[in-house]
Amino acid sequence: MRKSFFPMDNLPTYRASEVGSCLRALVAQHLNYEPKPFTAAQELILEEGKEHENLVIAKLERQGIPVTERQKELSYPTVLYILRGHIDGIIIHNSIPCILEIKALGRFTWETFRREGLAAFPGYAYQASVYSHLAGWPLLGGWPLLLKVKNRDTGQIIDLYLHSPPISFSDIIDKLNSAELSARDGELPAITCDDKERRRCRFSYLCTPTMPEPKQVDKSLIEAAELWREGKGLEKEAEEKIELAKAVFLQYCQLEKMDRVAVSGLSVSYGGMRHRTYLDEAMIKKLVPAEIWEQAQRPGKEYHLLTIRELSERG
């Protein structure tokens, strides 16, 4: 348990990049729980992130847009802790000074950002809001911020200009106050994150539910678990390779204006942009009487509902 009082020169620090974590993960980090180590692939991505940041800034400067105050530290002290972060830089955008924040994502994650924006990346929303508020402090309202999100695979960049912080400063401070008070009590808050957030969290082992195991584990079950794990790895690799190949075929057909091409024993057909349609069951249920809905249903093929997922390892 941490001490209930900290001298002003020894206050705990909360960083802008971690504020978007769930409350439980924030407290776990400040109670000195050990996060899961980065994989080799994650380490490489982190290292390359700095290179992508430099490339984006170099491109801006070639376009005549100087980037100043690179990695400038911003901080906000309270009686409980210090909120701190480092911005990527300051630029002039539409004749107004604004904060520059750069992210680099793989093609699938980048596509998610393109479709859903900050709604799918709450960590980015919190981080951008912290920078905006701290740059404007002690004035209220915050600085504008330009978020540039680069596709590591294609080089495409999404520009998201935020006129004002997406999250209020009071909400940020309230969250950090709750985290710090829980940390001082030495207690982890209740689990509030969903499965998607938990899969990305380095403290997910603290939130993994206890699963019953057979009293005597049959060797065939162990072999099946390893077979499933191997298959999932091959499945992901296969999906990535297929998607990459499809992107090349699509680009070729569009550029060459061809609707069919044969290559290396494959036949590739392109039918243009299409839109999938589906029936809205909820709306249909509202529009038709219940007896008609029952009559319209047809029994499908029987199947066993079996869910298999990887449990997070402790430590």
Side-chain angles (χ1 to χ4, degrees), residues 272-304:
M273 180 69 74
R274 302 292 177 89
H275 292 279
R276 290 188 175 93
T277 59
Y278 66 96
L279 295 177
D280 189 331
E281 290 190 6
M283 179 176 290
I284 294 174
K285 285 183 178 180
K286 291 180 181 179
L287 296 176
V288 303
E291 60 270 16
I292 294 180
W293 172 257
E294 292 293 335
Q295 294 174 14
Q297 293 187 72
R298 298 290 184 271
K301 184 179 179 181
E302 291 184 343
Y303 68 97
H304 295 284

Side-chain angles (χ1 to χ4, degrees), residues 16-37:
S17 58
E18 70 184 30
V19 176
S21 305
C22 76
L23 195 62
R24 190 176 175 89
L26 270 176
V27 176
Q29 182 162 335
H30 287 263
L31 285 178
N32 296 321
Y33 281 90
E34 192 70 27
K36 291 187 297 184

Side-chain angles (χ1 to χ4, degrees), residues 58 64 92-93 97 106 109 128 139 150 153 158 160 188 225 236 267 274 283 309 311:
I92 302 299
H93 182 77
T109 312
L139 300 177
K150 180 182 179 182
D153 302 293
I158 297 171
L160 179 60
L188 290 175
K236 182 177 180 181
S267 174
R274 302 292 177 89
M283 179 176 290
R309 64 184 178 87
L311 290 176

Side-chain angles (χ1 to χ4, degrees), residues 20-225:
S21 305
C22 76
L23 195 62
R24 190 176 175 89
L26 270 176
V27 176
Q29 182 162 335
H30 287 263
L31 285 178
N32 296 321
Y33 281 90
E34 192 70 27
K36 291 187 297 184
F38 288 117
T39 64
Q42 289 171 328
E43 290 281 5
L44 180 60
I45 289 172
L46 289 173
E47 292 176 9
E48 291 182 345
K50 192 63 180 179
E51 296 178 14
H52 287 290
E53 176 186 321
N54 291 333
L55 289 171
V56 171
I57 289 176
K59 183 177 180 181
L60 283 171
E61 293 182 335
R62 287 196 303 271
Q63 296 171 342
I65 304 174
V67 179
T68 61
E69 307 284 3
R70 291 190 62 179
Q71 296 305 311
K72 178 181 179 180
E73 181 181 284
L74 303 175
S75 62
Y76 177 82
T78 75
V79 296
L80 296 176
Y81 53 84
I82 298 175
L83 176 57
R84 180 172 287 135
H86 293 81
I87 59 174
D88 291 337
I90 300 288
I91 64 170
I92 302 299
H93 182 77
N94 293 334
S95 302
I96 299 174
C98 76
I99 301 164
L100 174 66
E101 177 64 14
I102 301 167
K103 300 294 183 184
L105 303 175
R107 60 186 181 277
F108 299 120
T109 312
W110 183 88
E111 184 62 28
T112 300
F113 186 89
R114 186 188 68 80
R115 292 194 312 268
E116 304 178 33
L118 290 178
F121 295 82
Y124 289 0
Y126 269 98
Q127 187 176 10
S129 298
V130 169
Y131 291 156
S132 177
H133 288 300
L134 296 195
W137 184 77
L139 300 177
L140 299 178
W143 270 39
L145 181 144
L146 178 63
L147 177 60
K148 299 181 81 70
V149 183
K150 180 182 179 182
N151 185 320
R152 293 195 305 263
D153 302 293
T154 67
Q156 294 172 279
I157 295 177
I158 297 171
D159 283 351
L160 179 60
Y161 183 70
L162 302 173
H163 296 274
S164 58
I167 300 172
S168 72
F169 198 43
S170 60
D171 286 345
I172 293 171
I173 295 301
D174 286 347
K175 179 177 183 178
L176 293 179
N177 287 347
S178 297
E180 180 57 23
L181 291 175
S182 294
R184 293 188 179 205
D185 289 338
E187 297 180 357
L188 290 175
I191 299 173
T192 57
C193 61
D194 56 23
D195 287 340
K196 183 178 180 181
E197 185 177 359
R198 192 176 299 127
R199 285 195 296 270
R200 297 194 299 262
C201 180
R202 297 180 67 201
F203 294 96
S204 60
Y205 68 90
L206 296 173
C207 306
T208 302
T210 303
M211 301 293 289
E213 293 188 4
K215 293 180 180 179
Q216 291 184 341
V217 180
D218 191 285
K219 182 180 178 181
S220 63
L221 291 181
I222 298 176
E223 293 175 347

